[in-house]
Amino acid sequence: MITLKTKRLILRPVTADDAADVFSYLSKPEVVRHMGLEPFTTVEEALEEIAWYDAIVRDGTGMRWGITLTGQDEVIGSCGFLNVSSKHHRTEIGFELSSAYWGQGIAGEALEAVIRHGFVELGFHRIEALIEPENKASQRLVERHLFTREGLLRGYEYTRGNYDDLYMYSLLEHEMCT
């Protein structure tokens, strides 16, 4: 997995050495509220999350980059692909960011780099985003990046003892901003 660079960010693989950073933001209720997770209570949960990042790369079903600010090595969020379908040239994109960095354009900058890599380097035709209806900030973010809301997937995921509805958004390769 290669490292991606933007004007302000370095997106790189997350390692076990980053567990304290991952725990720091995934232990915050406001960060995980729309992720289908309970806030982490131990660093071991962060290590399990990092092991999942490694597993999806190994299995060829996804990849997740840690978001860091240029010149700093602290992981402040992540962005990447999951549920890759090579046969159909499509994937889902997911992202989260420490609440200390919300409102600074960081998530959008990371999202743009990962989308571009997916279309240009990995050959995807379609990138999907599944977002809870209550998650207005993520909806606005993907809409600013030209994703189209296709519809509501009712009772699509079972998380934390509930069936969650999710909006399906998509972006096709020819729709990407250049």
Side-chain angles (χ1 to χ4, degrees):
M1 198 167 101
I2 68 165
T3 297
L4 305 176
K5 296 180 181 181
T6 71
K7 182 178 177 181
R8 298 183 294 166
L9 308 175
I10 295 177
L11 287 79
R12 61 166 178 80
V14 181
T15 70
D17 291 340
D18 300 309
D21 295 343
V22 172
F23 173 75
S24 177
Y25 63 83
L26 290 181
S27 63
K28 297 195 175 357
E30 67 272 18
V31 173
V32 300
R33 178 179 306 126
H34 301 295
M35 293 176 60
L37 299 173
E38 294 293 336
F40 286 7
T41 58
T42 67
V43 172
E44 287 71 33
E45 289 171 299
L47 287 167
E48 290 171 13
E49 182 78 1
I50 295 166
W52 175 70
Y53 297 167
D54 292 339
I56 62 174
V57 169
R58 190 174 49 254
D59 298 343
T61 60
M63 59 194 68
R64 198 78 171 197
W65 287 270
I67 301 169
T68 67
L69 298 172
T70 300
Q72 300 177 32
D73 201 37
E74 176 189 2
V75 174
I76 60 171
S78 78
C79 185
F81 300 122
L82 59 154
N83 297 324
V84 169
S85 173
S86 297
K87 177 181 178 180
H88 299 292
H89 305 274
R90 74 171 177 249
T91 189
E92 294 173 29
I93 196 164
F95 49 88
E96 80 280 332
L97 186 66
S98 170
S99 53
Y101 296 91
W102 289 358
Q104 300 175 35
I106 292 170
E109 193 171 325
L111 189 68
E112 186 175 320
V114 171
I115 289 169
R116 183 170 305 285
H117 181 71
F119 286 139
V120 174
E121 302 300 328
L122 301 178
F124 293 126
H125 170 71
R126 174 184 168 97
I127 297 176
E128 302 169 345
L130 300 174
I131 301 173
E132 289 184 359
E134 298 80 21
N135 191 347
K136 304 296 186 197
S138 288
Q139 291 173 46
R140 285 189 302 272
L141 178 62
V142 298
E143 288 169 359
R144 279 195 304 272
H145 286 83
L146 305 180
F147 279 72
T148 298
R149 184 190 304 178
E150 296 181 333
L152 181 68
L153 303 172
R154 300 177 307 134
Y156 190 75
E157 283 186 340
Y158 185 75
T159 59
R160 296 167 295 168
N162 296 301
Y163 291 97
D164 297 326
D165 295 342
L166 297 173
Y167 282 131
M168 169 66 79
Y169 282 85
S170 71
L171 180 67
L172 302 180
E173 179 182 12
H174 70 272
E175 299 168 330
M176 179 181 71
C177 279
T178 54

